[in-house]
Amino acid sequence: IAAITFTNKAAQEMRERAKALVGPKAARPLVISTFHALGVRILRADGDRLGLKPQFSILDSDDVLGLLKDAGGSTDNALARRWQWTISAWKNQGLNSEAAERAASHDDERIAARVMKRYEERLAAYQAVDFDDLIGLPHKLLHADAEVRERWQDTLRYVLVDEYQDTNAIQYELLRAMVSHADARRRGRFTAVGDDDQSIYGWRGATLDNLK
């Protein structure tokens, strides 16, 4: 059973509730976490299929900013921050640098896409990922590798998602990969709880379309 939410505080509260309901021993094997913590779990186990070592580094916002300034050949914090937001938005749509460059609609976006390509190269060289990669790379892995996908589908037979109205495109596709087995007998059981009046992550690409 995997129960997924958006904040560490909510995940901890869910873990405490599970322990109270079924006891600490029965609750221990449950996967109760944020989307990003689940992504870490998947990548630590199977990220080698994408060329990641198990002990890859996770960059914080300041690390990302420094790497983007290096990739873009700039010392301007404001410019690098704009690149950071633009690249994050693309990653939350499931786009890599090549797709982002094709989707770019003006010169600033085309420059950001080229910076993104150099940024991706640096992440790979440093064996590092950023916060958005913790969703994007598991999504890529589960869609590209049938063996890994089926193993996780067999492991997580029941997937429950809290605050579903705040999922974005890439989170939605990750969830689909976890529960949509070709064999109907092996498909995961999926339960989502959401309220379209409580969506707060529109700035991160959350879409109410996922509730339909």
Side-chain angles (χ1 to χ4, degrees):
I1 298 174
I4 307 169
T5 188
F6 280 84
T7 67
N8 290 323
K9 181 179 179 181
Q12 181 58 36
E13 183 176 337
M14 288 165 67
R15 281 190 287 269
E16 293 303 320
R17 290 185 182 187
K19 289 178 185 177
L21 284 169
V22 302
K25 184 176 180 180
R28 194 172 299 124
L30 304 180
V31 177
I32 302 176
S33 72
T34 63
F35 273 96
H36 294 87
L38 178 60
V40 172
R41 182 186 289 247
I42 293 171
L43 291 177
R44 295 287 187 211
D46 293 302
D48 60 308
R49 302 289 189 114
L50 298 176
L52 278 177
K53 296 178 181 178
Q55 297 307 314
F56 59 84
S57 300
I58 302 172
L59 304 185
D60 63 22
S61 182
D62 289 340
D63 294 330
V64 169
L65 198 65
L67 208 56
L68 284 172
K69 287 193 289 187
D70 178 57
S74 174
T75 59
D76 186 334
N77 277 343
L79 176 59
R81 191 71 70 187
R82 289 197 297 274
W83 289 336
Q84 187 174 11
W85 280 102
T86 300
I87 290 169
S88 178
W90 281 330
K91 287 190 174 189
N92 282 308
Q93 295 172 50
L95 304 181
N96 60 17
S97 58
E98 292 180 1
E101 188 160 13
R102 289 194 298 270
S105 58
H106 50 76
D107 286 344
D108 286 347
E109 287 190 347
R110 282 185 278 274
I111 291 170
R114 289 194 287 271
V115 171
M116 183 180 182
K117 180 175 178 56
R118 295 192 290 270
Y119 172 64
E120 289 172 342
E121 292 168 351
R122 283 161 173 76
L123 287 175
Y126 297 151
Q127 283 289 302
V129 301
D130 62 24
F131 200 57
D132 296 314
D133 290 331
L134 297 178
I135 306 297
L137 291 179
H139 163 263
K140 178 181 179 180
L141 176 62
L142 294 187
H143 276 80
D145 193 315
E147 180 183 346
V148 171
R149 180 174 64 252
E150 291 191 8
R151 185 163 65 248
W152 281 97
Q153 288 172 340
D154 288 340
T155 299
L156 305 179
R157 300 308 309 277
Y158 298 86
V159 178
L160 304 93
V161 183
D162 188 28
E163 306 292 358
Y164 189 67
Q165 76 279 352
D166 285 322
T167 54
N168 60 28
I170 197 71
Q171 289 165 330
Y172 172 76
E173 291 299 331
L174 176 61
L175 291 170
R176 283 192 62 187
M178 287 194 291
V179 300
S180 300
H181 200 288
D183 184 343
R185 295 168 299 178
R186 294 172 64 186
R187 286 178 192 158
R189 301 296 187 265
F190 180 71
T191 302
V193 177
D195 181 347
D196 56 5
D197 288 329
Q198 295 187 35
S199 181
I200 61 172
Y201 285 123
W203 57 273
R204 203 175 60 192
T207 173
L208 297 179
D209 290 344
N210 291 349
L211 286 168
K212 295 177 182 178

